Amino acid sequence: MNWTVFSWDIGYRRAPDADVRVWIDIDAFDRCWFLSDQYIAVPGDASDDNSNRFAKAGKRFLAGEPMWMPEVSVERHGALSFRDGRHRYLWMREHGALSMEVAVARSQAPAVRRLCGTRRRTSWFIPPRSRVPTALVLGVLGLAAAGLVAVARS
């Protein structure tokens, strides 16, 4: 993923609490985001107040365009919320990404790492048009296994 850091604080060395990059585990983040009033369960459902942004983000991701990194903050009761980038995150989540980078205020980075940090350093997703039906995958694996058994018997 080609993330571009876009924050009012990044790049300004004199900022009192400049943003830093933090790698998050998407499943762990989602559990903490669920506690926030910003949570979007399904793109376009009643919880999504701006569903056209999801489609717009998807077009840009699939075109390989640089994307602004989502900006995250920690709320008082331990929930994680977005300053910017809910729909970019949502698109990655809905398309099979396991981890991604987010921008976090330096003072909040340790808390975000503790709540949902990961050692994974890749931000990939499965494009919808390249998904292979499960039945096809299982069929191919079955043929391969049958071939190995036949070779082993001979």
Side-chain angles (χ1 to χ4, degrees), residues 70-88:
E71 298 175 27
V72 173
S73 62
V74 180
E75 295 179 3
R76 280 180 283 152
H77 56 283
L80 294 173
S81 62
F82 288 92
R83 292 179 291 171
D84 183 49
R86 287 184 309 160
H87 290 87
R88 281 168 264 147

Side-chain angles (χ1 to χ4, degrees), residues 69-127:
M69 188 179 297
E71 298 175 27
V72 173
S73 62
V74 180
E75 295 179 3
R76 280 180 283 152
H77 56 283
L80 294 173
S81 62
F82 288 92
R83 292 179 291 171
D84 183 49
R86 287 184 309 160
H87 290 87
R88 281 168 264 147
Y89 164 84
L90 183 62
W91 198 91
M92 293 293 288
R93 181 190 80 186
E94 294 298 309
H95 288 86
L98 300 175
S99 61
M100 64 186 287
E101 277 187 296
V102 295
V104 179
R106 179 173 280 121
S107 64
Q108 294 186 345
V112 172
R113 284 186 187 105
R114 186 175 58 255
L115 290 168
C116 61
T118 183
R119 291 182 180 183
R120 289 188 201 110
R121 296 294 184 261
T122 184
S123 193
W124 61 272
F125 61 90
I126 302 169

Side-chain angles (χ1 to χ4, degrees), residues 35-92:
L35 302 172
S36 153
D37 62 355
Q38 297 179 338
Y39 186 73
I40 299 173
V42 178
D45 77 353
S47 65
D48 188 354
D49 61 349
N50 204 340
S51 60
N52 65 328
R53 289 186 179 180
F54 180 82
K56 184 179 174 183
K59 287 178 186 174
R60 294 193 63 202
F61 277 124
L62 292 173
E65 295 180 25
M67 297 290 284
W68 291 342
M69 188 179 297
E71 298 175 27
V72 173
S73 62
V74 180
E75 295 179 3
R76 280 180 283 152
H77 56 283
L80 294 173
S81 62
F82 288 92
R83 292 179 291 171
D84 183 49
R86 287 184 309 160
H87 290 87
R88 281 168 264 147
Y89 164 84
L90 183 62
W91 198 91
M92 293 293 288

